[in-house]
PDB file of all heavy atoms in Angstrom:
ATOM      1  N   SER A 218     126.229  62.959 -62.536  1.00  0.00           N
ATOM      2  CA  SER A 218     127.158  62.681 -61.453  1.00  0.00           C
ATOM      3  C   SER A 218     128.413  63.525 -61.678  1.00  0.00           C
ATOM      4  O   SER A 218     128.382  64.480 -62.468  1.00  0.00           O
ATOM      5  CB  SER A 218     127.463  61.177 -61.426  1.00  0.00           C
ATOM      6  OG  SER A 218     128.350  60.853 -60.378  1.00  0.00           O
ATOM      7  N   THR A 219     129.483  63.180 -61.019  1.00  0.00           N
ATOM      8  CA  THR A 219     130.727  63.950 -61.161  1.00  0.00           C
ATOM      9  C   THR A 219     131.899  63.001 -61.359  1.00  0.00           C
ATOM     10  O   THR A 219     131.818  61.816 -61.017  1.00  0.00           O
ATOM     11  CB  THR A 219     131.015  64.770 -59.886  1.00  0.00           C
ATOM     12  OG1 THR A 219     131.202  63.845 -58.811  1.00  0.00           O
ATOM     13  CG2 THR A 219     129.879  65.734 -59.586  1.00  0.00           C
ATOM     14  N   LEU A 220     132.979  63.554 -61.870  1.00  0.00           N
ATOM     15  CA  LEU A 220     134.203  62.789 -62.022  1.00  0.00           C
ATOM     16  C   LEU A 220     134.679  62.285 -60.658  1.00  0.00           C
ATOM     17  O   LEU A 220     135.151  61.144 -60.536  1.00  0.00           O
ATOM     18  CB  LEU A 220     135.267  63.665 -62.688  1.00  0.00           C
ATOM     19  CG  LEU A 220     136.463  62.982 -63.307  1.00  0.00           C
ATOM     20  CD1 LEU A 220     136.048  61.935 -64.331  1.00  0.00           C
ATOM     21  CD2 LEU A 220     137.376  64.031 -63.948  1.00  0.00           C
ATOM     22  N   ALA A 221     134.513  63.126 -59.643  1.00  0.00           N
ATOM     23  CA  ALA A 221     134.962  62.725 -58.297  1.00  0.00           C
ATOM     24  C   ALA A 221     134.186  61.508 -57.811  1.00  0.00           C
ATOM     25  O   ALA A 221     134.733  60.652 -57.119  1.00  0.00           O
ATOM     26  CB  ALA A 221     134.787  63.895 -57.322  1.00  0.00           C
ATOM     27  N   ALA A 222     132.913  61.434 -58.194  1.00  0.00           N
ATOM     28  CA  ALA A 222     132.076  60.321 -57.709  1.00  0.00           C
ATOM     29  C   ALA A 222     132.204  59.071 -58.565  1.00  0.00           C
ATOM     30  O   ALA A 222     131.701  58.015 -58.195  1.00  0.00           O
ATOM     31  CB  ALA A 222     130.613  60.776 -57.684  1.00  0.00           C
ATOM     32  N   LEU A 223     132.831  59.202 -59.720  1.00  0.00           N
ATOM     33  CA  LEU A 223     132.937  58.064 -60.653  1.00  0.00           C
ATOM     34  C   LEU A 223     133.726  56.922 -60.007  1.00  0.00           C
ATOM     35  O   LEU A 223     134.897  57.085 -59.679  1.00  0.00           O
ATOM     36  CB  LEU A 223     133.646  58.548 -61.925  1.00  0.00           C
ATOM     37  CG  LEU A 223     134.001  57.505 -62.991  1.00  0.00           C
ATOM     38  CD1 LEU A 223     132.734  56.975 -63.656  1.00  0.00           C
ATOM     39  CD2 LEU A 223     134.903  58.142 -64.046  1.00  0.00           C
ATOM     40  N   PRO A 224     133.110  55.747 -59.812  1.00  0.00           N
ATOM     41  CA  PRO A 224     133.822  54.647 -59.149  1.00  0.00           C
ATOM     42  C   PRO A 224     134.861  54.013 -60.074  1.00  0.00           C
ATOM     43  O   PRO A 224     134.700  54.001 -61.293  1.00  0.00           O
ATOM     44  CB  PRO A 224     132.711  53.638 -58.830  1.00  0.00           C
ATOM     45  CG  PRO A 224     131.421  54.325 -59.116  1.00  0.00           C
ATOM     46  CD  PRO A 224     131.721  55.381 -60.135  1.00  0.00           C
ATOM     47  N   VAL A 225     135.901  53.476 -59.471  1.00  0.00           N
ATOM     48  CA  VAL A 225     136.960  52.788 -60.205  1.00  0.00           C
ATOM     49  C   VAL A 225     137.022  51.348 -59.686  1.00  0.00           C
ATOM     50  O   VAL A 225     136.915  51.111 -58.482  1.00  0.00           O
ATOM     51  CB  VAL A 225     138.310  53.510 -59.999  1.00  0.00           C
ATOM     52  CG1 VAL A 225     139.465  52.687 -60.559  1.00  0.00           C
ATOM     53  CG2 VAL A 225     138.275  54.893 -60.633  1.00  0.00           C
ATOM     54  N   THR A 226     137.159  50.386 -60.605  1.00  0.00           N
ATOM     55  CA  THR A 226     137.276  48.979 -60.208  1.00  0.00           C
ATOM     56  C   THR A 226     138.469  48.817 -59.268  1.00  0.00           C
ATOM     57  O   THR A 226     139.545  49.368 -59.520  1.00  0.00           O
ATOM     58  CB  THR A 226     137.464  48.108 -61.464  1.00  0.00           C
ATOM     59  OG1 THR A 226     136.390  48.394 -62.369  1.00  0.00           O
ATOM     60  CG2 THR A 226     137.448  46.624 -61.127  1.00  0.00           C
ATOM     61  N   ALA A 227     138.263  48.068 -58.191  1.00  0.00           N
ATOM     62  CA  ALA A 227     139.253  48.048 -57.098  1.00  0.00           C
ATOM     63  C   ALA A 227     140.621  47.538 -57.552  1.00  0.00           C
ATOM     64  O   ALA A 227     141.651  48.112 -57.214  1.00  0.00           O
ATOM     65  CB  ALA A 227     138.728  47.181 -55.956  1.00  0.00           C
ATOM     66  N   ASP A 228     140.654  46.438 -58.296  1.00  0.00           N
ATOM     67  CA  ASP A 228     141.936  45.859 -58.684  1.00  0.00           C
ATOM     68  C   ASP A 228     141.725  44.919 -59.860  1.00  0.00           C
ATOM     69  O   ASP A 228     140.610  44.761 -60.350  1.00  0.00           O
ATOM     70  CB  ASP A 228     142.589  45.126 -57.506  1.00  0.00           C
ATOM     71  CG  ASP A 228     141.678  44.047 -56.940  1.00  0.00           C
ATOM     72  OD1 ASP A 228     141.076  43.293 -57.732  1.00  0.00           O
ATOM     73  OD2 ASP A 228     141.537  43.979 -55.705  1.00  0.00           O
ATOM     74  N   TYR A 229     142.808  44.267 -60.286  1.00  0.00           N
ATOM     75  CA  TYR A 229     142.743  43.411 -61.472  1.00  0.00           C
ATOM     76  C   TYR A 229     142.507  41.941 -61.134  1.00  0.00           C
ATOM     77  O   TYR A 229     142.462  41.115 -62.033  1.00  0.00           O
ATOM     78  CB  TYR A 229     144.045  43.541 -62.273  1.00  0.00           C
ATOM     79  CG  TYR A 229     144.177  44.873 -62.971  1.00  0.00           C
ATOM     80  CD1 TYR A 229     144.788  45.947 -62.356  1.00  0.00           C
ATOM     81  CD2 TYR A 229     143.662  45.044 -64.247  1.00  0.00           C
ATOM     82  CE1 TYR A 229     144.904  47.164 -62.995  1.00  0.00           C
ATOM     83  CE2 TYR A 229     143.768  46.257 -64.897  1.00  0.00           C
ATOM     84  CZ  TYR A 229     144.393  47.319 -64.264  1.00  0.00           C
ATOM     85  OH  TYR A 229     144.499  48.517 -64.898  1.00  0.00           O
TER      86      TYR A 229
END
Side-chain angles (χ1 to χ4, degrees):
S218 181
T219 63
L220 198 55
L223 174 69
V225 171
T226 306
D228 57 44
Y229 289 90

